[in-house]
Every structure is written in structure tokens, then in C-alpha cells.
Amino acid sequence: MVLYSVHLATPAELLPQARVDQALAIAEDARGFPGAVIVAGDFNNRDLVVRVFENADFTWITRDLGATLRFFCWDH
């Protein structure tokens, strides 16, 4: 099994495409491993998970958890 602990850049740090590029690099690297691969952490964008990781055939097990972002409350 391989585990990626991720904290992608925030929208204030990088433009959206640059954050997509970060996620694509992880998804591409993960393709090289046989067996289970877990990518967990703070993606700083729910749409990015769908766009990159679900399109790379990952299963999003926390999809129905709901938003964790609140005003002045991040990174839970």
C-alpha cells in the first residue's frame, strides 16, 4: 500500500491550474504503484478532487461528509 499525505496550495498561493497540476503530479506518480493507493489530506478545493482524482479512477470516500470550511475556520 502507498499513502500520500497531501496539502495542496491554497487559492491565495497558486492559480487554479497550478493546483490542478499539483494534483495531477500525485495522480500520475500513484499510477506506478501496484495495489492500494490512498491520497488523503487538504486539497483546498472539492472540485479539484473530482476533476483530477476521480477522473484517475480514485474513489472519494468522504464525498458526503459536507463542507469543513467556515468563515475563519480552515484545515480541519
Side-chain angles (χ1 to χ4, degrees), residues 8 16-24 43-54 60:
L8 300 181
Q17 185 56 51
R19 289 184 302 128
V20 167
D21 292 343
Q22 288 180 324
L24 285 169
F43 298 94
N44 282 311
N45 186 321
R46 289 177 65 89
D47 294 336
L48 183 114
V49 175
V50 172
R51 225 168 116 191
V52 174
F53 293 104
E54 282 194 334
W60 184 3

Side-chain angles (χ1 to χ4, degrees), residues 6-73:
V6 176
H7 194 147
L8 300 181
T10 67
E13 294 172 308
L14 289 176
L15 295 173
Q17 185 56 51
R19 289 184 302 128
V20 167
D21 292 343
Q22 288 180 324
L24 285 169
I26 295 164
E28 181 62 31
D29 189 68
R31 278 184 239 255
F33 294 99
V37 175
I38 298 171
V39 180
D42 188 345
F43 298 94
N44 282 311
N45 186 321
R46 289 177 65 89
D47 294 336
L48 183 114
V49 175
V50 172
R51 225 168 116 191
V52 174
F53 293 104
E54 282 194 334
N55 288 340
D57 294 325
F58 283 84
T59 301
W60 184 3
I61 61 171
T62 60
R63 173 191 284 280
D64 297 325
L65 262 179
T68 59
L69 176 66
R70 308 259 189 291
F71 192 66
F72 289 117
C73 182

